[in-house]
């Protein structure tokens, strides 16, 4: 039974992480469990950068992007000496468990800590939605809505200038953001690592639809493809339509979280505390068939996540 737990955010930040921190703190405090905020992920754990939390520490953060606990990447934690030091710090601080909000790298660290006697629960926080064992990761919805709004603005100017806008969206190696945003903005094509693409086909479609009166085009490229400039140049050469590139970048990681992110973060945070309360560790909280569940960390990390193939096909069948 946990009497005192820590919470940290690690890896890339994501809108909704604050809502998760708040839920963890409030749920634990209501159960009579003390809560310590660990700043800058595993860096703060190793440096002893802790703050005692009360219900007011997390007031007024549910609507804020970023993470009030700050985040960092901690290379030292990737080796056993780093993890051992982390365990010592937990013992010094009297922590009976930690909630780790982050991506799969952060969960590996949480698995290592759990194996060495500190029960940890992972909550998926990344805009990429690329964590295998969960249908949803905190920040995904906000990032997609931001990208959609940005591309709607880009479309205005693409339309005025009869241009093709090639827009690169985030997602590391994953194309989940690209597919959904592509559908939402009515893109003519979406290029991701998960599916083969043929610029000849995209160019031919552009020319065909230009003949039927279309004057501007949006092509969404997932960042993992890494070819946005080449794609734009090639499409311009093939079609004669002026093409410009916009890399949306970190704007997608910021901003006030959407309803979906706030609600998911709160449900997942609550579930994580329920597990630690029972002394259960080494679990990832996720979404399966639309319901919050939990799974063994190693098992969860070993899973394969299906791509949005059916959605990708619908996109292509409704794009022109
Ligand atoms: P994310 O959690 O978003 O995937 P990273 O891959 O950068 O982000 O991982 C965040 C942090 O998690 C790393 O800086 C490191 O401290 C820790 N971490 C990553 N991989 C491992 C690993 N294999 N073993 C232990 N800790 C790890
Ligand atoms: O994992 C979230 C993410 O924003 C990815 O989409 C992107 O590839 C990466 O992080 C960028 O990381 P950084 O902010 O360290 O450049």
């Amino acid at each position: 039974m946990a009497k005192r737990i820590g919470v940290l955010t690690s890896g890339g930040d994501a809108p909704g992480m604050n809502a998760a921190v708040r839920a963890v703190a409030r749920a634990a405090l209501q159960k009579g469990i003390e809560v310590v905020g660990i700043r800058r992920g595993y860096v703060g754990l190793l440096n002893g950068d802790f703050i005692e939390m009360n219900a007011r520490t997390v007031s007024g953060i549910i609507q804020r992007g970023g993470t009030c606990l700050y985040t960092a990447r901690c290379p030292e934690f990737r080796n056993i000496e780093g993890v051992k030091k982390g365990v010592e710090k937990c013992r010094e601080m009297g922590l009976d468990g930690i909630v780790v909000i982050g991506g799969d790298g952060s969960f590996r660290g949480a698995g290592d800590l759990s194996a060495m006697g500190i029960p940890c629960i992972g909550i998926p926080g990344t805009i990429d939605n690329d964590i295998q064992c969960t249908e949803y990761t905190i920040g995904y919805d906000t990032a997609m809505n931001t990208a959609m709004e940005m591309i709607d603005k880009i479309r205005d100017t693409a339309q005025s200038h009869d241009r093709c806008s090639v827009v690169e969206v985030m997602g590391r190696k994953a194309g989940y953001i690209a597919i959904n945003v592509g559908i939402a903005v009515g893109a003519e094509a979406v290029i991701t690592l998960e599916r083969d693409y043929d610029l000849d086909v995209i160019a031919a479609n552009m020319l065909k639809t230009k003949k039927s009166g279309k004057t501007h085009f949006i092509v969404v490229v997932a960042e993992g493809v890494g070819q946005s400039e080449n794609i734009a140049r090639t499409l311009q050469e093939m079609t004669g339509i002026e093409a410009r590139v916009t890399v949306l970048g970190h704007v997608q990681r910021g901003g006030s979280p959407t309803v979906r992110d706030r609600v998911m973060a709160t449900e997942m945070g609550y579930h994580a505390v329920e597990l630690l309360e029972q002394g259960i560790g080494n679990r990832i909280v996720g979404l399966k068939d639309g319901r919050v569940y939990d799974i063994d960390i190693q098992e969860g990390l070993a899973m394969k996540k299906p791509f949005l193939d059916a959605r990708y096909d619908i996109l292509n069948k409704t794009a022109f």
Side-chain angles (χ1 to χ4, degrees):
M1 297 292 283
K3 291 273 168 278
R4 183 170 162 83
I5 64 169
V7 55
L8 61 81
T9 51
S10 167
D13 66 350
M17 279 184 164
N18 279 326
V21 171
R22 172 185 176 277
V24 168
R26 295 267 172 92
L29 291 163
Q30 282 205 26
K31 289 173 185 290
I33 301 171
E34 293 173 359
V35 185
V36 173
I38 302 167
R39 292 204 286 210
R40 298 184 175 83
Y42 296 120
V43 172
L45 178 64
L46 300 189
N47 295 340
D49 188 2
F50 303 125
I51 46 164
E52 298 288 335
M53 295 184 111
N54 60 45
R56 298 286 71 75
T57 317
V58 291
S59 288
I61 63 168
I62 197 166
Q63 80 284 10
R64 284 210 221 127
T67 161
C68 66
L69 289 176
Y70 302 89
T71 185
R73 296 196 164 96
C74 178
E76 198 185 341
F77 213 73
R78 287 174 183 267
N79 60 57
I80 187 77
E81 293 312 316
V83 180
K84 276 186 187 161
K85 194 171 156 193
V87 173
E88 278 166 31
K89 286 286 175 190
C90 288
R91 303 264 187 248
E92 269 173 37
M93 286 298 293
L95 297 183
D96 301 317
I98 301 183
V99 178
V100 172
I101 305 164
D104 51 5
S106 306
F107 296 165
R108 288 200 169 84
D112 292 347
L113 276 174
S114 299
M116 295 183 81
I118 306 295
C120 289
I121 306 295
I123 294 182
T126 166
I127 64 166
D128 303 339
N129 201 31
D130 62 347
I131 297 177
Q132 296 82 346
C133 59
T134 180
E135 288 158 9
Y136 194 78
T137 62
I138 296 165
Y140 181 44
D141 191 55
T142 306
M144 289 191 294
N145 276 289
T146 301
M148 180 189 73
E149 283 167 24
M150 296 297 120
I151 298 174
D152 285 348
K153 292 180 201 291
I154 290 167
R155 179 189 279 280
D156 289 344
T157 169
Q159 182 166 30
S160 306
H161 288 265
D162 296 326
R163 281 177 178 153
C164 169
S165 274
V166 173
V167 186
E168 183 177 305
V169 297
M170 274 189 165
R172 207 179 289 263
K173 298 284 174 203
Y176 300 103
I177 293 178
I179 296 292
N180 286 322
V181 168
I183 289 183
V185 302
E188 278 64 47
V190 174
I191 299 178
T192 71
L193 278 181
E194 291 89 344
R195 298 287 298 246
D196 293 337
Y197 66 94
D198 185 341
L199 292 184
D200 286 322
V201 172
I202 296 174
N205 282 335
M206 285 168 65
L207 288 173
K208 200 168 97 189
T209 50
K210 192 177 175 207
K211 277 198 190 128
S212 71
K214 193 159 183 59
T215 58
H216 65 285
F217 302 85
I218 304 282
V219 175
V220 174
V221 181
E223 70 168 326
V225 175
Q227 294 289 328
S228 301
E229 288 290 348
N230 281 342
I231 289 167
R233 197 176 318 113
T234 307
L235 287 177
Q236 182 168 310
E237 282 165 12
M238 286 174 160
T239 62
I241 298 164
E242 190 183 3
R244 294 290 180 93
V245 176
T246 305
V247 178
L248 289 184
H250 286 96
V251 70
Q252 297 159 98
R253 284 243 298 265
S256 183
T258 59
V259 169
R260 181 141 204 231
D261 278 322
R262 297 182 200 194
V263 173
M264 286 309 316
T266 303
E267 278 198 43
M268 288 182 176
Y270 181 79
H271 192 87
V273 171
E274 288 219 302
L275 291 170
L276 282 185
E277 185 190 21
Q278 299 165 62
I280 298 171
N282 201 45
R283 311 289 292 175
I284 298 172
V285 175
L287 196 72
K288 188 181 175 195
D289 302 327
R291 303 177 86 97
V292 172
Y293 86 122
D294 56 272
I295 182 168
D296 175 85
I297 291 185
Q298 286 70 30
E299 210 181 306
L301 290 175
M303 283 170 75
K304 283 263 171 290
K305 189 166 183 164
F307 191 56
L308 304 169
D309 287 315
R311 201 168 283 179
Y312 178 81
D313 293 338
I314 288 172
L315 179 145
N316 284 319
K317 287 177 182 152
T318 55
F320 290 97

